[in-house]
């Protein structure tokens, strides 16, 4: 079992920055593919960034590439999502998720592929 707790959401103006944190517990931190997903009202949950915690490999959705950065702190069992140059369309509930795998293969980055989820943290970007 993996428990995930997100923090760091909030309200910011367009162009601003936020850093989300996801603290993991209950299982080995290494050997997971961890992802940040977001869901806006009336839209499907979409993955925005992923990290393979054992390898440190990272992947990004095109919509956030160059603006968001996913990283990890092994000592704290925590994954971060640094979000810069935020846009109103980034407004959503953001979720941290994990799946037990050493890799974040492209074909396994859907929300349905992840078995562990945090409670979510709201990010609101105003224009």
């Amino acid at each position: 079992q993996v428990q995930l707790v997100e923090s760091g959401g909030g309200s910011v103006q367009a162009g601003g920055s936020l850093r989300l944190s996801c603290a993991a517990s209950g299982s080995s931190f290494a050997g997971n593919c961890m992802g940040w997903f977001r869901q806006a009202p009336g839209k499907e949950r979409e993955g925005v960034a992923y990290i393979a915690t054992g390898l440190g490999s990272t992947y990004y959705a095109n919509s956030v590439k160059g603006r968001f950065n996913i990283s990890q702190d092994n000592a704290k069992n925590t994954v971060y999502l640094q979000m810069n140059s935020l846009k109103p369309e980034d407004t959503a509930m953001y979720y941290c998720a994990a799946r037990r795998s050493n890799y974040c293969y492209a074909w396994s980055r859907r929300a349905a592929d992840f078995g562990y989820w945090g409670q979510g943290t709201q990010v609101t970007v105003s224009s």
Side-chain angles (χ1 to χ4, degrees):
Q1 288 287 343
V2 178
Q3 289 81 46
L4 304 172
V5 179
E6 303 102 331
S7 60
S11 298
V12 65
Q13 289 191 327
S17 298
L18 284 173
R19 189 178 79 157
L20 306 183
S21 300
C22 173
S25 62
S27 182
S28 173
F29 187 63
N32 288 297
C33 171
M34 296 190 69
W36 283 99
F37 290 78
R38 66 187 181 187
Q39 189 166 21
K43 294 189 176 182
E44 290 189 359
R45 192 169 295 189
E46 64 167 343
V48 297
Y50 308 84
I51 187 165
T53 57
L55 301 172
S57 306
T58 59
Y59 310 89
Y60 299 91
N62 288 335
S63 58
V64 306
K65 200 171 292 183
R67 300 189 297 122
F68 290 11
N69 183 68
I70 189 170
S71 62
Q72 64 186 78
D73 184 333
N74 293 335
K76 296 182 178 180
N77 286 2
T78 298
V79 171
Y80 302 98
L81 185 67
Q82 178 66 44
M83 305 184 294
N84 300 323
S85 301
L86 282 162
K87 304 175 181 180
E89 52 263 44
D90 294 317
T91 294
M93 185 71 79
Y94 282 70
Y95 298 91
C96 176
R99 60 186 297 266
R100 293 294 295 170
S101 174
N102 288 319
Y103 306 97
C104 294
Y105 294 117
W107 57 85
S108 62
R109 297 179 202 161
R110 303 166 302 167
D113 296 313
F114 288 75
Y116 303 101
W117 291 87
Q119 81 286 354
T121 185
Q122 177 69 36
V123 172
T124 302
V125 184
S126 58
S127 57

